[in-house]
Amino acid sequence: MNSSRRVALMSVVCFFVLLCCSAVSAQLSPTFYSTICPTAQRIVRALVRQAVANEKRMGASLLRLHFHDCFVNGCDGSVLLDDTQGFTGEKNAGPNANSLRGFEVIDKIKGIMERVCVGVVSCADILAIAARDSVVELGGPGWVVNLGRRDARTASQNAANTNLPGTFFSLNNLISSFQSQGLSANDMIALSGGHTIGQARCTAFRTRLYNEANMNQVFASSLKATCPRTAGNGDNNLTPFDASSPNLFDNGYYTNLRSQKGLLHSDQQLFNGGSADALVSLYSANQTAFFNDFAAAMVKMGNIKPLTGNSGEIRKNCRRWN
């Protein structure tokens, strides 16, 4: 085959690959439920508002559920599946066990949704909408959620253990983890700002608290009563990521990093003399820039390998397949 024919053939192949990829992406749409369940987003919003009003921390929990779903084989609701005698889900993976919460809120939303629009709205889409609405309820930015995901019939505890970034990760580890999901280093830095709300258990930051020098010592001393040095003592005690405004979605997370008050080892890696320092400095000074980039990165994250068309199913109960 001569070079001109080879180039022409490759161009045709690339065109069809791009066409196929565009077709998959096009199946997610912000108007997906406009005619088949027009009240879907209003139902989620009302119940998220109620849940967050009852417990501010729930906003962070619902945001985290969506993140932990999307990083394990895509945004497919797999994180919601319960273990059974013959099935191992993701809830008891290392990053999730005794940590993920908010399942009952999703159950309540799904229960009402099934009464209003039977077999129409997926659990994966509920997670995506609830994450956005949780951020808004706590004062953060909104964004347009693309919809039309379907629910997985499978889950992977191994992928949950492997794909989710760890609290001990270095900056390079974090960048690689996010890049493996099609997200850039800048996306990672913006999405990490979700830690401006929520809390962490003592086990997640004990090693940093007693062994790392790049931690504000006054801040460290204030945590030691909550998180004693000895393992097994106070393991489940909780500390907010941003003690100054724990229930407000703002740019306080980045201000804390610049003062060496990152709670987790992986948090402080974003401001530790590396390539992320400049963007952390920008976000700490410009909340609007953070909000804009966070919203854009959430849209990208929500588009990770969705099941669409005839793939998967619409679960009747988010905890088990049909």
Side-chain angles (χ1 to χ4, degrees), residues 7-303:
V7 170
L9 179 60
M10 288 302 295
S11 297
V12 171
V13 171
C14 289
F15 171 79
F16 279 108
V17 168
L18 289 171
L19 187 64
C20 291
C21 290
S22 297
V24 171
S25 298
Q27 292 182 53
L28 292 185
S29 165
T31 60
F32 187 84
Y33 296 113
S34 293
T35 56
I36 56 176
C37 189
T39 60
Q41 293 205 55
R42 291 201 297 274
I43 291 169
V44 177
R45 186 181 306 117
L47 293 173
V48 167
R49 180 175 293 137
Q50 180 184 85
V52 173
N54 290 338
E55 183 194 3
K56 295 295 186 183
R57 182 187 169 204
M58 187 55 68
S61 298
L62 294 173
L63 174 62
R64 189 162 179 254
L65 267 182
H66 182 44
F67 172 77
H68 280 233
D69 182 38
C70 291
F71 262 58
V72 182
N73 298 331
C75 307
D76 60 4
S78 60
V79 73
L80 302 172
L81 290 168
D82 283 342
D83 289 359
T84 66
Q85 186 172 357
F87 173 80
T88 301
E90 298 162 15
K91 289 182 177 179
N92 288 310
N96 296 339
N98 301 313
S99 179
L100 284 186
R101 56 197 300 275
F103 299 109
E104 294 79 9
V105 176
I106 301 301
D107 291 340
K108 184 174 182 179
I109 295 170
K110 182 60 174 175
I112 293 176
M113 201 74 75
E114 283 299 305
R115 292 199 293 272
V116 176
C117 303
V118 180
V120 172
V121 182
S122 69
C123 301
D125 275 349
I126 290 172
L127 283 176
I129 301 168
R132 187 268 315 275
D133 292 348
S134 294
V135 169
V136 171
E137 284 302 307
L138 294 176
W143 57 90
V144 175
V145 179
N146 291 315
L147 301 165
R149 300 168 191 80
R150 289 169 65 85
D151 298 320
R153 297 187 181 97
T154 61
S156 176
Q157 187 175 107
N158 181 63
N161 284 321
T162 302
N163 295 358
L164 290 164
T167 60
F168 55 85
F169 271 22
S170 68
L171 178 60
N172 286 338
N173 291 150
L174 290 167
I175 292 172
S176 295
S177 176
F178 279 71
Q179 285 180 338
S180 70
Q181 303 295 335
L183 299 168
S184 69
N186 285 7
D187 293 329
M188 179 274 292
I189 297 165
L191 289 171
S192 295
H195 280 182
T196 194
I197 53 175
Q199 304 180 58
R201 293 186 301 153
C202 168
T203 52
F205 61 87
R206 176 184 279 125
T207 299
R208 167 164 165 73
L209 183 59
Y210 290 98
N211 295 285
E212 297 186 13
N214 63 341
M215 191 172 195
N216 181 290
Q217 291 307 298
V218 174
F219 176 59
S221 296
S222 71
L223 298 176
K224 289 180 178 178
T226 300
C227 188
R229 183 188 295 269
T230 306
N233 189 2
D235 285 0
N236 293 318
N237 290 345
L238 295 170
T239 294
F241 285 106
D242 177 11
S244 61
S245 54
N247 297 317
L248 178 64
F249 196 99
D250 58 13
N251 64 341
Y253 171 77
Y254 300 102
T255 304
N256 291 338
L257 295 184
R258 296 196 68 195
S259 301
Q260 293 190 316
K261 294 180 181 179
L263 186 61
L264 307 181
H265 172 87
S266 55
D267 288 326
Q268 196 60 55
Q269 289 296 295
L270 271 60
F271 195 82
N272 197 36
S275 60
D277 285 14
L279 200 51
V280 168
S281 296
L282 171 64
Y283 291 159
S284 70
N286 188 333
Q287 181 168 279
T288 299
F290 162 50
F291 278 12
N292 289 340
D293 288 355
F294 180 84
M298 285 297 296
V299 173
K300 286 180 67 175
M301 189 187 79
N303 289 340

